[in-house]
Amino acid sequence: MTTLPRWLQRFTILLSDNPKGPWGGGGPDKGGSGSGSGDGNDGGPRNPWSVPPAGRPRSAGPSALDEFLRRARGGGGGNGSGGGSRSRLPGTPNPRTLWIIGVGLIVGAWLVFTSFHAIGPQQRGVVTYLGRFAGTIEPGIRLTPPAPFASVTKVDVRKINTETFPASGSGENLMLTGDQNIVDLNYSVRWDISNPQDYAFQIAKPVETVRATAESAMRAVIATTTLDDAIGQGRNAIELRVQDMMQEVLDSYNAGVRIQGVAIKQAAPPSQVMDDFKLVSAAQQEAQGMTNQARGYAQQVLAHAQGEAAAFDKVYEQYKLAPEVTRRRMYYETMEQVLAKTDKTIVQAPGVVPYLPLPGAARRLPDAPATTPAPAQGANQ
């Protein structure tokens, strides 16, 4: 039979319900005196605090050491008899056993809650061993050494974060443009996490870093842009330039952040000059409308001239083939266009008197004033 080590034997003695005395005695349940003082007759070692067998008579009560050991084993006080007056009830568990079970439960809970990690589908786990990066774990139930030896930081890599400027969502956010004007600009930045390791370890405050980078990039771009571009059609170009500049700066920091987009929500002059700016905008719109109208008229005239030139080219081609016929036809067509809307009298010169009192020959124009004919000379004579 293999001999158990000394520390295991002591542990077994402490767990037993009726352990032996420290001096080899059988304890109160095995008979003998309640003091557990053995005299050597039962085969065990003698108690050095007991009275020798040949000396004075032994004390009837238990010694102080026996009382201390009995209380330490959970037996409570007693009068030195075998079971003592305060012995445990039948079926009552040993207090030491309860302590050991409790400690075991605590250790088991510590191992379960610090060794097993549930990583969601949208998450990644950043693992550190004693503060040093050890790797990244994928979604699922993952096992690591318990804390404080290993630590897992869960990072959501699919969440789209949105930063609004100004932070309150309302108020003025004044910036200086390239043409020395001031614009009130409200915009937002969307970003997510591209590298969990860099996001967790490279920068101390990722959100504050993203906000500071966005503010700096927007002011740098607006400083090279005119006011008309900032509040007009140049917004898309400004958004793309700010996004590229932010991504370049954050990549230089190894921040592990990817910029999804920049959106300008509102771009307007300050409220103090809003009325004057409205007047300027109205004038600009009117000038733009008149310019567009003039351009339309110019295009119309140009198209008409081009059409006439094309018609003349066709007539010229016919004129080259028959010059006399074409000339006469053009003369007739021209005279027809000229005389079509006028009052006219056609007279053949041979045999016709110069004055013909034809009806309707003296037709007046609609807007011409009526005149009274002068009386003939000698009418009243």
Side-chain angles (χ1 to χ4, degrees), residues 158-225:
R158 294 186 182 178
K159 180 181 178 181
I160 303 298
N161 303 277
T162 302
E163 302 297 330
T164 304
F165 300 86
S168 60
S170 61
E172 290 187 338
N173 187 23
L174 303 181
M175 297 185 183
L176 185 64
T177 62
D179 54 355
Q180 302 302 314
N181 288 310
I182 297 177
V183 61
D184 183 10
L185 202 64
N186 293 344
Y187 60 98
S188 62
V189 176
R190 303 183 308 278
W191 60 278
D192 63 349
I193 300 173
S194 60
N195 190 323
Q197 175 185 353
D198 292 342
Y199 180 81
F201 295 105
Q202 292 297 328
I203 51 180
K205 299 179 179 179
V207 177
E208 288 78 359
T209 302
V210 171
R211 292 189 62 86
T213 304
E215 187 76 14
S216 177
M218 181 60 74
R219 291 186 180 275
V221 173
I222 292 296
T224 60
T225 307

Side-chain angles (χ1 to χ4, degrees), residues 25-42:
D29 295 335
K30 291 183 178 181
S33 64
S35 63
S37 63
D39 56 358
N41 297 331
D42 54 355

Side-chain angles (χ1 to χ4, degrees), residues 177 179 183-185 222 225-239 264-269 277 281 284-285:
T177 62
D179 54 355
V183 61
D184 183 10
L185 202 64
I222 292 296
T225 307
T226 63
L227 178 62
D228 294 337
D229 292 337
I231 64 178
Q233 299 179 355
R235 291 188 180 185
N236 294 334
I238 294 174
E239 294 171 352
I264 297 178
K265 298 180 179 179
Q266 179 183 357
F277 185 80
S281 299
Q284 290 178 349
Q285 292 177 0

Side-chain angles (χ1 to χ4, degrees), residues 32-38 47 49-53 55-67 70 78-81:
S33 64
S35 63
S37 63
N47 191 340
W49 285 276
S50 62
V51 180
R56 294 186 299 273
R58 303 174 183 175
S59 175
S63 65
L65 180 60
D66 292 337
E67 184 69 18
R70 183 162 47 253
N79 56 0
S81 62

Side-chain angles (χ1 to χ4, degrees), residues 274-284:
M274 181 62 70
D275 295 337
D276 296 334
F277 185 80
K278 289 181 179 179
L279 296 177
V280 174
S281 299
Q284 290 178 349

Side-chain angles (χ1 to χ4, degrees), residues 339 342-348 352 354-363:
L339 300 176
T342 60
D343 294 334
K344 50 191 176 294
T345 302
I346 302 174
V347 178
Q348 294 181 355
V352 178
Y355 175 75
L356 294 177
L358 299 176
R363 186 183 304 168

